[in-house]
Amino acid sequence: MTKDKDSITGSFHFVYIVTLIVGTIIQFSDESEFAVDMSNMKLIHVPKDLPPKTKILDLSQNNISELHISDMSYLSGLKVLKLSHNRIWCLDFSIFKFNQDLEYLDLSHNQLQNISCHLITSLKHLDLSFNDFDVLPICKEFGNLTQLHFLGLSATKLRQLDLLPIAHLHLSYILLDLEGYSAEETESLQILNTKTLHLVFHPNQLFSVQVNISVNSLECLQLTNIKLNNNNCGVLIKFLSGLTRGPTLLNFTLKHVRTTWKCLVRIFQFLWPKPVEYLNIYNLTVVERIDKEDFHYSKTALKALKIEHVKNEVFIFSQTAVYTIFSEMNIMMLTISDTPFIHMLCPPPSNTFKFLNFTQNVFTDSVFQNCSQLVRLETLILRKNKLKDLYKVGLMTKHMTSLEILDVSGNSLEYDRHDRDCTWVGSIVVLNLSSNILADSVFRCLPPKVKVLDLHDNRIRSIPKPIMKLEALQELNVASNSLAHLPDCDTFSSLSVLIIDSNSISNPSADFFQSCQKIRSIRAGNNPFQCTCELREFVQSLGQVSSEVVEGWPDSYKCGYPENYKGTPLKDFHMSQLSCNTTLLLVTIGITVLVLTLTVTALCVYFDLPWYLRMVCQWTQTRRRARNIPLEELQRTLQFHAFISYSEHDSAWVKNELVPCLEKEDIRICLHERNFVPGKSIVENIINCIERSYKSIFVLSPNFVQSEWCHYELYFAHHNLFHEGSNNLILILLEPIPQNCIPSKYHKLKALMTQRTYLEWPKEKSKHGLFWANIRAAFNMKLELIAENNDAET
């Protein structure tokens, strides 16, 4: 959210150089099939089975000691070769004569002592640093490397004209390894043209290099491994005198510095009048003692001082002596990060600070309290300190009338002073309060004109309704909290960017995009969305918004509940309109029930269901009385051989033909007109007669199917068949019955005529005998049984 201005400016040249160095690698990064990485594989020679089309080859961190022409000759397209951290002791550049496209060659950290000069003119990056050369390995052929941007060298001795062969080249970066440098007399080295010079010294020896190095158009100077005390501090200053003489040196960097406080102040004093604009010190260790030192803050070109990663080995010293040196510096940008500083003094009124960065110190709430001199300060970074009270942070800014960017993230800030209003300078537009322990109350203690607010990784559960109007707020980051709902844009009328991912939002409102018309970017993924009907409209609204507005869609938007939907992307979550609309569901159910009722009613009418229900009721009542009577006992109650069911229209044939013929054979017949018991219902008489008869004879004719009572008798006789498990039906077809004449409700009759054998009354008299024989054969019960039952009944 905040930008380290001096870091950006101070690193400009470094970024430019790195771009030149790795440019060749980047342009092939998308061609992974042409890149071979065999680093750190304990190889002792270059493999022979490399793909011929290899363009990038990494053989670093192995045990290779020699290179041969056959190792590289078939790799004609090779452009990048990394051989650093091996054991190569001798190199003939002619082995690369078949690699005319080679641009990047890294041979650093080997054991090279000499090389032959048959260089490839296509080289842009050549690193020979950290080897065992006595003198700089430069020969006249180096002058042909017109495309060279980076050159890394090492030597134990320096001669003034060593670099003469490349004097006409315009290099971007020269790395000179002087770890083994041991000359006792002052030497000279003329480096004619380079923008950046990086010198590396021995890490465990006091700085003692006495070389006069002159560079034309030097812009960036970096020294690594500087070990100083009060006695040899002058040696370094003398060494820097020649390098800092030119007007073009703007950026000076010291890395891995071990020095006394007095020497460090002397270095500052030496550089103060120089043209250096950006001074960077990384990994600084202060030793011996810290006393108050005089410092003359003359007019300086220095704009920014950055000190990172400070280790103090002096445990008892005057804090004021240190803080005064820095607080009174007349520069615009000061960065002191990752140090044991517990405080910083309020600078004098004449200070010119516009940018202060005190990241990862141990500052407390007392820092800059009642300090009214930082009126020019525009950016203040107090990230990762020991701040605890947000109210005091607001008071700290009271007099910083130019402050626009404030970063107090990574502290332990909280706000619990509900009885007092917060005081903030009105100029703050960017505020970073992330990674603290702030709760919902923080929204009552914010700068009124803030435009960019970062509150991610706190303890916010909700955004209270009665809060101050943040009408200028454009960007809000509340990720990694415990929010359950999306914020209301009535409070944030200008909100255009919202980051609210990794919260506890389960049912976001579908009206969010309607209330927040100015939203141009929202990131709300990684929330436990509850995939129910309530979420359906929100998902639809997300689908209608451009993918450029909804960041992370659809990958980071997944269902958290219920369990059967867990992990399902919201874009694949669908619920029907019917299951989510109660009114529509009730209407649908009502219509379905109505249609079903009408259908059942129509079927009942068509199949005469009421009639069957009545029959079942009568049958059930009658059968209930005999449900516990065994089959043998039921057979002992038989009184008739047959019960005859017929239509009155067929009574003449029954009485004149059928009954006389059967009774002549001593077959007892049950007829309704002589055997129905007066006083009982017709249905009960029918059932009783059927149950007391061995067989039931049905005389079928067109007249029969038109008689409802005949159908009753057939219905009950058919059910009696299943109850007793016997074959008690005899069907006599007196006259043919067309199928279309049988009413649809008499489907049992249709089924019986289809499934069972019936006797058809023949029209020819000659066949009557066979008909009667078949009738008699159907009665196989002994007549004595029925006779005995009749005698017992009498």
Side-chain angles (χ1 to χ4, degrees):
M1 181 177 295
T2 59
K3 296 182 179 179
D4 194 333
K5 294 182 180 178
D6 66 324
S7 176
I8 293 174
T9 309
S11 301
F12 172 78
H13 297 94
F14 178 73
V15 172
Y16 170 72
I17 294 163
V18 170
T19 302
L20 290 174
I21 295 173
V22 303
T24 305
I25 300 175
I26 293 175
Q27 68 180 352
F28 296 113
S29 62
D30 59 342
E31 302 181 30
S32 58
E33 65 273 20
F34 299 136
V36 177
D37 185 358
M38 302 190 74
S39 60
N40 198 20
M41 296 182 67
K42 299 181 179 180
L43 300 175
I44 59 174
H45 55 75
V46 178
K48 302 295 184 181
D49 56 349
L50 297 173
K53 293 185 178 180
T54 299
K55 293 184 178 180
I56 303 174
L57 178 58
D58 188 351
L59 294 170
S60 60
Q61 301 184 45
N62 283 290
N63 297 318
I64 299 173
S65 59
E66 291 183 314
L67 296 176
H68 303 92
I69 191 170
S70 59
D71 295 333
M72 301 294 165
S73 59
Y74 65 99
L75 302 176
S76 58
L78 189 65
K79 291 195 173 185
V80 176
L81 177 58
K82 299 179 181 180
L83 285 164
S84 63
H85 296 277
N86 276 279
R87 298 180 179 180
I88 303 173
W89 58 275
C90 182
L91 178 65
D92 185 350
F93 272 94
S94 63
I95 67 172
F96 300 116
K97 65 181 180 179
F98 296 107
N99 309 110
Q100 294 300 315
D101 294 332
L102 188 62
E103 297 179 356
Y104 185 104
L105 179 58
D106 185 356
L107 289 162
S108 63
H109 298 277
N110 277 278
Q111 300 171 8
L112 288 171
Q113 297 179 2
N114 55 76
I115 59 173
S116 62
C117 291
H118 299 85
L119 297 175
I120 306 301
T121 57
S122 58
L123 283 174
K124 296 180 180 179
H125 179 106
L126 177 59
D127 193 351
L128 298 171
S129 61
F130 302 99
N131 278 281
D132 297 337
F133 298 111
D134 286 333
V135 295
L136 294 178
I138 300 295
C139 51
K140 63 179 182 179
E141 285 82 1
F142 272 72
N144 299 325
L145 302 179
T146 56
Q147 301 183 52
L148 193 65
H149 295 299
F150 177 96
L151 178 60
L153 301 169
S154 62
T156 59
K157 298 178 181 179
L158 298 177
R159 295 176 298 187
Q160 183 174 4
L161 301 180
D162 279 347
L163 298 178
L164 183 60
I166 59 172
H168 61 286
L169 300 181
H170 295 276
L171 300 175
S172 297
Y173 198 110
I174 290 181
L175 169 62
L176 186 55
D177 162 34
L178 297 177
E179 283 192 3
Y181 183 79
S182 59
E184 297 180 357
E185 298 180 357
T186 301
E187 297 179 337
S188 298
L189 180 65
Q190 186 174 7
I191 303 176
L192 301 178
N193 293 297
T194 186
K195 293 181 179 179
T196 299
L197 176 61
H198 183 187
L199 303 176
V200 181
F201 304 97
H202 197 286
N204 299 318
Q205 294 180 2
L206 287 173
F207 184 86
S208 60
V209 176
Q210 301 182 45
V211 180
N212 294 325
I213 300 178
S214 58
V215 185
N216 294 333
S217 65
L218 182 63
E219 297 179 6
C220 301
L221 175 62
Q222 178 174 327
L223 306 183
T224 300
N225 298 332
I226 304 297
K227 188 175 181 180
L228 302 168
N229 57 28
N230 293 335
N231 296 325
N232 74 330
C233 189
V235 178
L236 175 64
I237 292 175
K238 182 178 179 182
F239 176 79
L240 293 176
S241 297
L243 289 171
T244 58
R245 187 179 299 114
T248 59
L249 181 62
L250 303 178
N251 195 313
F252 180 38
T253 300
L254 295 170
K255 283 188 175 181
H256 301 289
V257 180
R258 184 178 179 86
T259 182
T260 62
W261 172 249
K262 182 175 183 178
C263 183
L264 181 63
V265 174
R266 285 186 63 186
I267 294 173
F268 288 156
Q269 191 70 76
F270 168 76
L271 294 173
W272 216 251
K274 301 296 181 179
V276 175
E277 295 183 358
Y278 301 95
L279 174 59
N280 309 295
I281 303 176
Y282 301 100
N283 297 303
L284 170 65
T285 301
V286 179
V287 298
E288 294 186 9
R289 57 185 297 172
I290 297 178
D291 296 318
K292 183 179 179 180
E293 302 291 339
D294 294 330
F295 195 92
H296 302 287
Y297 299 97
S298 57
K299 185 177 180 179
T300 181
L302 192 65
K303 295 180 180 179
L305 170 62
K306 177 191 289 186
I307 303 177
E308 292 186 356
H309 314 300
V310 178
K311 181 180 179 182
N312 184 11
E313 294 186 358
V314 182
F315 301 105
I316 300 176
F317 63 95
S318 171
Q319 300 278 345
T320 305
V322 176
Y323 302 149
T324 300
I325 291 292
F326 295 110
S327 64
E328 295 183 0
M329 286 184 171
N330 52 336
I331 58 177
M332 291 189 296
M333 293 178 279
L334 174 62
T335 296
I336 302 177
S337 65
D338 192 11
T339 71
F341 282 15
I342 62 174
H343 192 64
M344 180 53 62
L345 298 176
C346 183
S350 59
N351 79 87
T352 55
F353 288 126
K354 291 186 176 182
F355 180 97
L356 292 177
N357 182 355
F358 298 110
T359 297
Q360 204 168 344
N361 286 276
V362 284
F363 288 2
T364 62
D365 293 327
S366 62
V367 68
F368 296 138
Q369 292 294 333
N370 301 315
C371 179
S372 59
Q373 279 79 41
L374 291 170
V375 292
R376 296 182 179 86
L377 189 62
E378 297 176 357
T379 300
L380 176 59
I381 302 174
L382 296 172
R383 187 187 306 126
K384 294 183 179 180
N385 278 275
K386 300 297 180 181
L387 306 179
K388 294 183 178 180
D389 193 343
L390 183 61
Y391 178 82
K392 289 186 177 180
V393 172
L395 282 179
M396 176 190 68
T397 67
K398 183 177 180 180
H399 301 290
M400 301 176 183
T401 54
S402 300
L403 188 64
E404 296 181 356
I405 300 173
L406 175 61
D407 184 350
V408 287
S409 61
N411 284 277
S412 301
L413 289 172
E414 55 186 333
Y415 174 69
D416 54 7
R417 300 197 181 195
H418 304 286
D419 56 329
R420 302 178 66 181
D421 294 334
C422 288
T423 301
W424 292 90
V425 67
S427 58
I428 296 178
V429 293
V430 177
L431 177 60
N432 190 342
L433 294 170
S434 64
S435 300
N436 283 285
I437 53 175
L438 295 164
D440 305 355
S441 57
V442 67
F443 288 97
R444 298 187 178 92
C445 184
L446 293 172
K449 296 181 181 180
V450 64
K451 294 182 179 180
V452 179
L453 177 60
D454 191 344
L455 285 166
H456 85 269
D457 191 20
N458 276 283
R459 299 179 181 178
I460 303 171
R461 294 182 176 274
S462 64
I463 299 177
K465 291 291 183 182
I467 63 173
M468 58 186 300
K469 292 283 186 179
L470 298 175
E471 297 179 352
L473 187 63
Q474 298 175 5
E475 299 183 20
L476 175 61
N477 185 347
V478 285
S480 301
N481 281 281
S482 301
L483 290 167
H485 303 285
L486 293 174
D488 187 355
C489 285
D490 292 340
T491 305
F492 313 119
S493 57
S494 301
L495 191 65
S496 60
V497 176
L498 175 63
I499 303 174
I500 196 170
D501 55 330
S502 301
N503 274 273
S504 301
I505 299 174
S506 57
N507 292 309
S509 172
D511 300 330
F512 172 77
F513 290 102
Q514 295 181 355
S515 63
C516 300
Q517 298 287 337
K518 296 182 180 180
I519 284 289
R520 55 181 175 82
S521 177
I522 179 174
R523 190 164 73 222
N526 301 312
N527 276 288
F529 295 109
Q530 188 170 354
C531 290
T532 58
C533 291
E534 289 76 9
L535 190 68
R536 185 170 168 269
E537 293 183 5
F538 177 74
V539 174
Q540 291 177 348
S541 64
L542 281 180
Q544 297 172 359
V545 179
S546 170
S547 58
E548 297 178 356
V549 174
V550 185
E551 294 187 31
W553 176 265
D555 296 337
S556 58
Y557 294 76
K558 297 181 180 179
C559 297
Y561 304 96
E563 196 65 29
N564 57 321
Y565 279 112
K566 191 171 183 179
T568 302
L570 294 193
K571 69 180 182 65
D572 298 330
F573 167 68
H574 302 289
M575 293 193 74
S576 65
Q577 180 71 19
L578 182 63
S579 60
C580 293
N581 191 323
T582 305
T583 303
L584 180 60
L585 180 61
L586 293 175
V587 170
T588 303
I589 293 175
I591 293 175
T592 303
V593 171
L594 179 61
V595 171
L596 184 60
T597 302
L598 293 176
T599 303
V600 171
T601 302
L603 292 174
C604 288
V605 172
Y606 183 78
F607 291 107
D608 202 9
L609 185 61
W611 183 86
Y612 282 106
L613 292 176
R614 290 198 304 271
M615 292 303 98
V616 170
C617 183
Q618 292 287 347
W619 172 258
T620 303
Q621 291 176 359
T622 304
R623 296 306 303 173
R624 188 180 297 122
R625 296 192 297 269
R627 65 180 179 272
N628 296 322
I629 302 175
L631 180 61
E632 294 79 4
E633 187 176 343
L634 286 175
Q635 289 180 340
R636 288 196 296 269
T637 62
L638 293 175
Q639 296 180 6
F640 304 100
H641 287 97
F643 167 72
I644 301 176
S645 176
Y646 60 92
S647 171
E648 284 299 324
H649 297 286
D650 301 324
S651 61
W653 183 84
V654 172
K655 294 177 181 179
N656 296 331
E657 295 285 348
L658 181 60
V659 172
C661 182
L662 294 177
E663 289 183 341
K664 183 175 64 177
E665 299 292 334
D666 292 329
I667 296 175
R668 291 177 59 84
I669 300 300
C670 178
L671 296 174
H672 67 272
E673 63 264 25
R674 69 186 185 188
N675 296 108
F676 276 17
V677 178
K680 289 187 177 182
S681 66
I682 297 175
V683 172
E684 191 171 358
N685 273 306
I686 292 173
I687 294 174
N688 287 335
C689 285
I690 291 173
E691 289 182 344
R692 295 168 64 187
S693 301
Y694 177 54
K695 297 284 186 179
S696 294
I697 301 174
F698 290 88
V699 180
L700 306 179
S701 69
N703 297 320
F704 182 93
V705 300
Q706 299 302 321
S707 172
E708 187 169 349
W709 287 112
C710 288
H711 196 252
Y712 287 168
E713 293 167 351
L714 178 64
Y715 179 86
F716 291 131
H718 184 251
H719 277 276
N720 192 60
L721 165 68
F722 290 104
H723 174 75
E724 296 184 1
S726 59
N727 189 10
N728 64 351
L729 292 183
I730 299 175
L731 303 180
I732 298 175
L733 185 61
L734 183 61
E735 296 179 13
I737 304 174
Q739 285 290 327
N740 56 3
C741 292
I742 303 176
S744 59
K745 66 181 180 179
Y746 294 166
H747 64 277
K748 287 190 179 297
L749 176 59
K750 290 182 178 181
L752 286 171
M753 293 185 67
T754 303
Q755 299 171 2
R756 300 181 68 86
T757 303
Y758 54 84
L759 300 175
E760 186 174 358
W761 173 250
K763 299 301 181 181
E764 302 84 354
K765 289 185 178 182
S766 60
K767 297 180 180 179
H768 287 180
L770 179 61
F771 174 80
W772 295 120
N774 289 332
I775 289 291
R776 287 191 296 271
F779 294 90
N780 53 12
M781 177 175 280
K782 295 179 180 181
L783 297 181
E784 291 81 3
L785 176 60
I786 298 179
E788 288 175 3
N789 292 339
N790 289 335
D791 293 341
E793 194 175 280
T794 304

